[in-house]
Amino acid sequence: MVTRCKEARTPPAARTIRCGFCGGSFAEDRGQPACRGCPLGSGCGSIRCPACGYENTAAPAWLDTLVARASRWRRKLMHVRGGS
Amino acid sequence: MTPRTIVPVDASPDGSETIRRGSSASGSCHSPGKPTRLQEANAVRVVLAGAPNVGKSALFNRLTASYATVSNYPGTSVELTAGIGTYGEQTLHVLDSPGIYSLLPSTEEERVTQRLLLGGEYDVVVHVADAKNLSRALPLTLQLCELGRPLVLAVNMIDEAERLGVRIDYARLSERLGVPVVPVAAIDGRGVDTLRAAIATARGSSRPPLPVYENGVGEIVEAARRRIGGRYPVDATAVLTLAMQDDAEARALLDGAGDAYAVDVPEGLTQQLGGPPVYRFAYERKRAADALLAGVVDGMRAPSAWTERLGRLLARPLTGFPILLLVLYVGLYKFVGEFGAGTVVDWIEGTVFEEHINPAMEELFAPLANAALRELFVGEFGLLTLGLRYAVAIILPLVGTFFLFFSVLEDSGYFPRLALLVDRGFKRIGLSGRAVIPMVLGFACGTMATMVTRTLETRRERVMATMLLALAVPCSAQLGVIVAILAVSPAALLVWAAVMTGSFLLVGLLGARLLPGDAASFHMELPPLRLPRLSNVAVKTYTRMHWYFREVLPLFLLASALLWAGDQTGALPVVIAGLAPVVALLGLPAEAATVFLFGFFRRDYGAAGLFDLQQTGLLDVTQLTVAAVTLTLFVPCIAQFLMMLRERGAATAFGMLAFITPFAFGVGFLLHLLLRGIGW
């Protein structure tokens, strides 16, 4: 019988967050989620910078994607205008 | 004090050793097992050093695969992890040291690393640096060069740096530094074998070249070097530069070697160097690091000259405080107070709610026969006419404008400069500049800020910061509403700000006297100042507003429902009647008692009530000022209090509450007497 290995799914790369206080960059999964232990429960989406402890606002993924697409369109538009 | 030795890998000084991993079977360099006798004879003692959170532990795990032990450094509670790895016929005895930003320690952990490094009982130092923040790491590399021991620079997290588009010319950096530079990604093991080879080769290699410092610093170190005659476990340069920065450990080493005379007293050095030695050395090291990195790192923007100049102006007291006042005036008074409260709230509340939503809701609920049920939705404490209106028409526009202002400051890199600016003042009240982080966050959300106080170094600092957050740091919504209310009179706003600052300092100074201990020192590498990016600011503002609204709306609706229930059962008028004499002492009308009752639920709910009361024209400027002061100093919201309980324990949290409540009303009462007394 031929067995076929299931292709392992690579998890998506963690976003890089630039700390709003110390300016250091860290992968989202290396920051400590601030929600643990907060009486308000989850929802604020803050990510604590592992270097300085500042609570950074982590935008929802869809918003990040939207902003990235918008900036790509802007660059393309500028490129088209510059080229014409 | 404590002997300067590396903790043995297979024995613990205090018996607290724990085995972290079992041995592996293979003896290859990829999966090292128990070392052979030949390997033991070729043992290389390695110390991993570097700033916190640069992946030292991940790299340690990659380099070692067996016999890892955790034990306390002799005489301290600081844990050290030691492990064994192999490279060919060589054994690597690897020690993971506590994170340091510089060889000049400010915590017990950093002191342990300093002792390890100055002790010299190792063959190779591996400096683990973050590839994304190389310019911050290099000053420490230069200090490690001063030790005069074989050094390897492991540039870690290259995976993340590559994702950010950062490119590093490792060969050029290695050539300039005179030490091997190895790119590594500890997370996936990339470059670890090369690092093992570099460590094995570095053992017994020539010492790294000493860094060249300019502006007289290098000459003074060189002159001191010529004066000394004692022997040291490491190159005397490291000991001398630390002693010049008044480090007790280094001065003791010089004393022990009979070379104490080689280094001038701190005052003399300050005069010779043209500034405090700590700052002069840090500055020269940064300059040297920047020069080494010129043309080495690509893909990261270098700060321009004008941003550097502006950055310095922001952090210096003489210029920094006037700029801070200007920032607060424009951002808070003009933007949040006048634009947010004046224009946006007026439109949403006055036009959208008063003219459209409220009439529509009243019409919708008019057929409801049960008057009490109708009141629940559109009455005085109605879910729609009070809860929803407060949340949407008053609080949301105010926090929106405040968060926009906050995000601009955050994205520009202003906050770390603010930390430096207030560091000296904070030390007087037992805090360090690091406490700026929870204080700044407190202006967004006191609950989150209280949780962040756990990152402060000492218990004293944590208690002080929690207390000051609960007492004198208003949250975003409260600040927005208070600025909006007092925007009618700049003098009233000034009085409010003066009372808040005064209370902050008074309680801080008292706390510093009552709680024994030294103020923690604060070191921070400043990120470059930059123009805020519109997309960043918009995303941050939206995310914060979204979170805040989701949090606040259910609570506002719940508070409205509770007030409605109290009104219907007759309990509310009794409570308000009970509070009336207290508010009368503050010179406020009986209606203000409701506002304080609102404040028990949430400070922002109370502030919104005050805003509502001001709109009716029931309060004059003095009464508004007194009410705003009392409400700001008043007990924190329920969520913040729960966090205080969790972080500081019941005794401390209730103790703070017992102090804050009479203090708030006491200050309000005295302010009322004072303002009326001077005929305001």
Side-chain angles (χ1 to χ4, degrees):
Chain A
M1 196 175 85
V2 179
T3 54
R4 187 175 289 177
C5 292
K6 278 187 184 172
E7 193 183 341
R9 270 185 164 236
T10 319
R15 286 183 296 174
T16 303
I17 291 176
R18 182 179 175 272
C19 176
F21 192 85
C22 70
S25 302
F26 61 95
E28 188 178 3
D29 53 7
R30 284 186 190 167
Q32 303 153 7
C35 304
R36 254 196 316 250
C38 177
L40 299 175
S42 58
C44 69
S46 293
I47 302 282
R48 184 175 304 156
C49 170
C52 72
Y54 186 77
E55 299 281 2
N56 288 275
T57 307
W62 67 265
L63 192 57
D64 260 1
T65 313
L66 191 73
V67 170
R69 279 193 188 158
S71 67
R72 266 206 304 274
W73 290 333
R74 202 176 118 255
R75 273 201 300 273
K76 269 187 191 170
L77 198 67
M78 285 171 74
H79 182 71
V80 169
R81 276 187 187 166
S84 62
Chain B
M1 202 166 123
T2 323
R4 292 180 198 92
T5 55
I6 292 183
V7 180
V9 166
D10 52 356
S12 158
D14 62 355
S16 62
E17 171 188 312
T18 52
I19 303 296
R20 291 179 65 215
R21 292 190 299 271
S23 60
S24 63
S26 165
S28 84
C29 64
H30 294 282
S31 53
K34 192 173 181 178
T36 63
R37 279 187 185 173
L38 183 60
Q39 285 170 337
E40 281 297 350
N42 290 321
V44 185
R45 295 167 302 168
V46 185
V47 175
L48 295 186
N53 303 298
V54 293
K56 275 198 313 298
S57 299
L59 193 57
F60 172 86
N61 290 339
R62 287 277 173 192
L63 287 172
T64 65
S66 58
Y67 305 118
T69 61
V70 180
S71 51
N72 285 358
Y73 186 80
T76 70
S77 59
V78 178
E79 283 186 341
L80 291 173
T81 312
I84 297 175
T86 56
Y87 177 71
E89 288 305 320
Q90 287 187 311
T91 309
L92 307 179
H93 287 261
V94 188
L95 191 73
D96 186 9
S97 66
I100 47 167
Y101 292 102
S102 92
L103 273 187
L104 196 66
S106 55
T107 63
E108 192 189 14
E109 282 87 354
E110 290 177 7
R111 171 74 63 198
V112 164
T113 304
Q114 189 210 43
R115 281 191 192 136
L116 280 171
L117 292 168
L118 289 182
E121 291 188 17
Y122 49 84
D123 300 306
V124 180
V125 179
V126 175
H127 178 201
V128 187
D130 179 355
K132 308 184 301 298
N133 302 304
L134 206 50
S135 66
R136 294 173 181 211
L138 232 49
L140 177 59
T141 316
L142 295 177
Q143 275 193 300
L144 296 174
C145 284
E146 289 173 11
L147 292 167
R149 306 301 295 268
L151 175 69
V152 176
L153 176 61
V155 181
N156 194 17
M157 301 188 187
I158 53 166
D159 50 330
E160 290 179 25
E162 282 164 4
R163 268 211 305 274
L164 289 172
V166 177
R167 289 176 301 279
I168 299 167
D169 188 341
Y170 301 103
R172 190 190 277 193
L173 181 60
S174 172
E175 191 185 315
R176 287 182 183 175
L177 271 171
V179 302
V181 178
V182 184
V184 182
I187 206 85
D188 60 16
R190 236 191 311 165
V192 174
D193 283 344
T194 316
L195 179 63
R196 283 197 189 100
I199 293 169
T201 315
R203 181 201 186 195
S205 66
S206 59
R207 45 184 273 178
L210 289 171
V212 180
Y213 299 131
E214 293 175 3
N215 296 319
V217 173
E219 285 86 340
I220 286 175
V221 176
E222 194 45 47
R225 266 180 71 89
R226 283 197 294 270
R227 284 197 290 271
I228 58 169
R231 290 175 63 84
Y232 299 91
V234 292
D235 193 286
T237 309
V239 182
L240 286 169
T241 54
L242 285 168
M244 286 176 180
Q245 294 167 82
D246 209 21
D247 176 66
E249 187 80 10
R251 282 201 178 262
L253 274 174
L254 283 179
D255 252 348
D259 287 331
Y261 65 91
V263 172
D264 201 351
V265 291
E267 294 76 19
L269 280 167
T270 303
Q271 209 169 10
Q272 288 176 57
L273 292 166
V278 173
Y279 297 115
R280 295 291 300 119
F281 272 99
Y283 184 72
E284 285 308 322
R285 245 180 233 122
K286 184 79 177 74
R287 263 168 68 112
D290 288 346
L292 282 167
L293 279 179
V296 165
V297 180
D298 193 22
M300 272 193 170
R301 271 193 207 159
S304 66
W306 77 267
T307 53
E308 291 228 328
R309 216 166 24 243
L310 180 61
R312 280 199 293 274
L313 290 177
L314 292 172
R316 282 182 188 151
L318 202 64
T319 45
F321 282 111
I323 295 175
L324 173 64
L325 287 178
L326 185 70
V327 166
L328 292 177
Y329 174 75
V330 175
L332 281 184
Y333 185 74
K334 300 299 278 183
F335 184 64
V336 180
E338 286 190 1
F339 174 72
T343 312
V344 186
V345 173
D346 274 1
W347 181 73
I348 298 181
E349 202 195 10
T351 310
V352 178
F353 265 79
E354 294 295 331
E355 291 180 16
H356 302 286
I357 295 178
N358 286 358
M361 289 297 138
E362 277 162 18
E363 204 174 318
L364 185 71
F365 286 94
L368 214 59
N370 189 324
L373 208 56
R374 199 167 53 242
E375 282 283 306
L376 173 64
F377 292 101
V378 291
E380 189 186 353
F381 303 111
L383 295 175
L384 301 172
T385 43
L386 190 77
L388 186 71
R389 185 169 61 88
Y390 272 14
V392 177
I394 299 178
I395 296 296
L396 196 62
L398 289 173
V399 295
T401 45
F402 176 80
F403 283 147
L404 189 57
F405 166 63
F406 190 87
S407 302
V408 167
L409 291 187
E410 187 186 63
D411 208 50
S412 66
Y414 179 64
F415 289 155
R417 272 129 192 120
L418 184 64
L420 277 191
L421 182 67
V422 301
D423 184 43
R424 194 177 290 179
F426 268 27
K427 277 204 170 72
R428 297 233 168 127
I429 56 172
L431 296 172
S432 69
R434 194 178 176 81
V436 161
I437 297 177
M439 294 301 159
V440 162
L441 287 169
F443 285 105
C445 173
T447 310
M448 181 198 284
T450 306
M451 184 159 60
V452 170
T453 56
R454 70 168 72 158
T455 62
L456 299 176
E457 278 169 25
T458 61
R459 184 181 177 274
R460 179 196 197 214
E461 263 198 298
R462 292 192 286 272
V463 171
M464 289 290 300
T466 306
M467 175 71 185
L468 293 171
L469 279 168
L471 181 78
V473 179
C475 71
S476 53
Q478 197 187 21
L479 184 66
V481 176
I482 280 164
V483 169
I485 293 165
L486 300 181
V488 292
S489 162
L493 199 57
L494 271 180
V495 170
W496 174 82
V499 176
M500 285 307 118
T501 313
S503 302
F504 187 94
L505 293 176
L506 177 73
V507 173
L509 287 169
L510 278 175
R513 287 193 161 222
L514 291 173
L515 293 171
D518 294 326
S521 54
F522 174 63
H523 297 285
M524 182 172 186
E525 184 73 37
L526 287 177
L529 208 61
R530 64 175 198 176
L531 271 177
R533 287 178 61 180
L534 187 64
S535 58
N536 281 355
V537 171
V539 166
K540 284 176 179 177
T541 307
Y542 166 79
T543 310
R544 288 196 168 108
M545 282 177 73
H546 180 248
W547 148 69
Y548 190 81
F549 188 66
R550 273 198 349 186
E551 181 207 318
V552 92
L553 185 63
L555 291 171
F556 274 28
L557 293 178
L558 178 69
S560 299
L562 288 173
L563 287 170
W564 166 83
D567 190 42
Q568 295 298 316
T569 55
L572 186 66
V574 176
V575 176
I576 289 177
L579 275 175
V582 182
V583 294
L585 276 176
L586 303 175
L588 301 174
E591 287 84 346
T594 320
V595 169
F596 285 96
L597 194 62
F598 288 179
F600 275 119
F601 291 105
R602 279 183 66 96
R603 282 202 285 193
D604 45 5
Y605 195 61
L610 190 62
F611 186 84
D612 223 12
L613 206 60
Q614 183 234 19
Q615 303 290 76
T616 62
L618 203 67
L619 303 175
D620 62 23
V621 175
T622 306
Q623 288 172 316
L624 276 175
T625 313
V626 171
V629 162
T630 314
L631 208 62
T632 313
L633 293 173
F634 202 39
V635 286
C637 70
I638 291 168
Q640 187 174 343
F641 184 69
L642 287 175
M643 187 59 84
M644 285 164 66
L645 277 172
R646 184 190 165 87
E647 293 291 318
R648 301 287 88 84
T652 311
F654 278 106
M656 286 178 185
L657 194 65
F659 172 79
I660 288 170
T661 309
F663 183 84
F665 282 98
V667 170
F669 176 65
L670 289 176
L671 186 66
H672 158 66
L673 290 183
L674 180 74
L675 293 180
R676 290 293 181 214
I678 60 171
W680 216 46

